[in-house]
mmCIF file of all heavy atoms in Angstrom:
data_model
loop_
_atom_site.group_PDB
_atom_site.id
_atom_site.type_symbol
_atom_site.label_atom_id
_atom_site.label_comp_id
_atom_site.label_asym_id
_atom_site.label_seq_id
_atom_site.Cartn_x
_atom_site.Cartn_y
_atom_site.Cartn_z
ATOM 1 N N ASP A 820 -5.929 18.271 43.957
ATOM 2 C CA ASP A 820 -5.766 18.276 42.495
ATOM 3 C C ASP A 820 -4.931 19.457 41.997
ATOM 4 O O ASP A 820 -4.494 19.461 40.854
ATOM 5 C CB ASP A 820 -7.138 18.232 41.801
ATOM 6 C CG ASP A 820 -8.066 19.311 42.323
ATOM 7 O OD1 ASP A 820 -7.585 20.169 43.105
ATOM 8 O OD2 ASP A 820 -9.257 19.302 41.977
ATOM 9 N N ARG A 821 -4.725 20.435 42.872
ATOM 10 C CA ARG A 821 -3.846 21.555 42.489
ATOM 11 C C ARG A 821 -2.453 21.384 43.107
ATOM 12 O O ARG A 821 -1.676 22.327 43.194
ATOM 13 C CB ARG A 821 -4.461 22.882 42.937
ATOM 14 C CG ARG A 821 -5.778 23.171 42.184
ATOM 15 C CD ARG A 821 -6.598 24.268 42.867
ATOM 16 N NE ARG A 821 -5.864 25.500 43.043
ATOM 17 C CZ ARG A 821 -5.966 26.297 44.116
ATOM 18 N NH1 ARG A 821 -6.754 25.946 45.113
ATOM 19 N NH2 ARG A 821 -5.284 27.418 44.188
ATOM 20 N N LYS A 822 -2.198 20.176 43.576
ATOM 21 C CA LYS A 822 -0.910 19.826 44.200
ATOM 22 C C LYS A 822 -0.643 20.624 45.477
ATOM 23 O O LYS A 822 0.502 20.894 45.822
ATOM 24 C CB LYS A 822 0.241 19.988 43.205
ATOM 25 C CG LYS A 822 0.084 19.063 42.006
ATOM 26 C CD LYS A 822 1.316 19.071 41.143
ATOM 27 C CE LYS A 822 1.132 18.112 39.962
ATOM 28 N NZ LYS A 822 2.187 18.246 38.960
ATOM 29 N N ARG A 823 -1.693 20.993 46.142
ATOM 30 C CA ARG A 823 -1.516 21.722 47.401
ATOM 31 C C ARG A 823 -1.796 20.810 48.588
ATOM 32 O O ARG A 823 -2.644 19.916 48.531
ATOM 33 C CB ARG A 823 -2.401 22.971 47.426
ATOM 34 C CG ARG A 823 -1.994 23.992 46.360
ATOM 35 C CD ARG A 823 -2.810 25.260 46.419
ATOM 36 N NE ARG A 823 -2.343 26.193 47.432
ATOM 37 C CZ ARG A 823 -1.507 27.189 47.188
ATOM 38 N NH1 ARG A 823 -1.009 27.370 45.972
ATOM 39 N NH2 ARG A 823 -1.154 28.012 48.148
ATOM 40 N N LEU A 824 -1.038 21.089 49.636
ATOM 41 C CA LEU A 824 -1.060 20.269 50.841
ATOM 42 C C LEU A 824 -1.815 21.031 51.929
ATOM 43 O O LEU A 824 -1.544 22.195 52.188
ATOM 44 C CB LEU A 824 0.399 20.069 51.262
ATOM 45 C CG LEU A 824 0.871 18.870 52.023
ATOM 46 C CD1 LEU A 824 0.323 17.584 51.456
ATOM 47 C CD2 LEU A 824 2.402 18.857 51.976
ATOM 48 N N HIS A 825 -2.773 20.344 52.566
ATOM 49 C CA HIS A 825 -3.594 21.015 53.583
ATOM 50 C C HIS A 825 -3.432 20.352 54.940
ATOM 51 O O HIS A 825 -3.753 19.177 55.095
ATOM 52 C CB HIS A 825 -5.068 20.968 53.162
ATOM 53 C CG HIS A 825 -5.315 21.500 51.784
ATOM 54 N ND1 HIS A 825 -5.639 22.813 51.555
ATOM 55 C CD2 HIS A 825 -5.244 20.903 50.571
ATOM 56 C CE1 HIS A 825 -5.770 23.005 50.240
ATOM 57 N NE2 HIS A 825 -5.544 21.849 49.625
ATOM 58 N N THR A 826 -2.957 21.101 55.905
ATOM 59 C CA THR A 826 -2.814 20.572 57.250
ATOM 60 C C THR A 826 -4.077 20.873 58.049
ATOM 61 O O THR A 826 -4.966 21.557 57.576
ATOM 62 C CB THR A 826 -1.595 21.186 57.974
ATOM 63 O OG1 THR A 826 -1.454 20.572 59.241
ATOM 64 C CG2 THR A 826 -1.767 22.684 58.151
ATOM 65 N N THR A 827 -4.148 20.313 59.240
ATOM 66 C CA THR A 827 -5.182 20.709 60.197
ATOM 67 C C THR A 827 -4.483 21.295 61.406
ATOM 68 O O THR A 827 -3.576 20.661 61.961
ATOM 69 C CB THR A 827 -6.022 19.493 60.632
ATOM 70 O OG1 THR A 827 -6.631 18.918 59.477
ATOM 71 C CG2 THR A 827 -7.105 19.905 61.631
ATOM 72 N N TYR A 828 -4.863 22.491 61.790
ATOM 73 C CA TYR A 828 -4.285 23.105 62.983
ATOM 74 C C TYR A 828 -5.169 22.815 64.184
ATOM 75 O O TYR A 828 -6.391 22.908 64.090
ATOM 76 C CB TYR A 828 -4.135 24.620 62.804
ATOM 77 C CG TYR A 828 -3.017 24.980 61.875
ATOM 78 C CD1 TYR A 828 -3.277 25.492 60.602
ATOM 79 C CD2 TYR A 828 -1.695 24.792 62.247
ATOM 80 C CE1 TYR A 828 -2.247 25.811 59.736
ATOM 81 C CE2 TYR A 828 -0.660 25.099 61.381
ATOM 82 C CZ TYR A 828 -0.937 25.615 60.138
ATOM 83 O OH TYR A 828 0.092 25.911 59.278
ATOM 84 N N HIS A 829 -4.521 22.477 65.286
ATOM 85 C CA HIS A 829 -5.253 22.253 66.526
ATOM 86 C C HIS A 829 -4.999 23.440 67.420
ATOM 87 O O HIS A 829 -3.878 23.677 67.871
ATOM 88 C CB HIS A 829 -4.810 20.945 67.167
ATOM 89 C CG HIS A 829 -4.938 19.796 66.223
ATOM 90 N ND1 HIS A 829 -6.129 19.124 66.030
ATOM 91 C CD2 HIS A 829 -4.054 19.270 65.355
ATOM 92 C CE1 HIS A 829 -5.947 18.193 65.094
ATOM 93 N NE2 HIS A 829 -4.705 18.271 64.665
ATOM 94 N N GLN A 830 -6.067 24.162 67.659
ATOM 95 C CA GLN A 830 -5.919 25.480 68.252
ATOM 96 C C GLN A 830 -5.598 25.394 69.743
ATOM 97 O O GLN A 830 -4.861 26.203 70.263
ATOM 98 C CB GLN A 830 -7.222 26.245 68.033
ATOM 99 C CG GLN A 830 -7.056 27.713 68.146
ATOM 100 C CD GLN A 830 -8.312 28.454 67.739
ATOM 101 O OE1 GLN A 830 -9.144 27.923 67.003
ATOM 102 N NE2 GLN A 830 -8.446 29.669 68.214
ATOM 103 N N LEU A 831 -6.189 24.430 70.404
ATOM 104 C CA LEU A 831 -5.956 24.275 71.835
ATOM 105 C C LEU A 831 -5.424 22.879 72.123
ATOM 106 O O LEU A 831 -5.724 22.277 73.140
ATOM 107 C CB LEU A 831 -7.251 24.542 72.607
ATOM 108 C CG LEU A 831 -7.792 25.964 72.451
ATOM 109 C CD1 LEU A 831 -9.193 26.093 73.021
ATOM 110 C CD2 LEU A 831 -6.864 26.964 73.120
#
Side-chain angles (χ1 to χ4, degrees):
Chain A
D820 52 8
R821 295 164 56 217
K822 298 189 179 170
R823 295 183 82 95
L824 208 46
H825 307 268
T826 184
T827 301
Y828 287 109
H829 305 277
Q830 200 172 338
L831 297 170

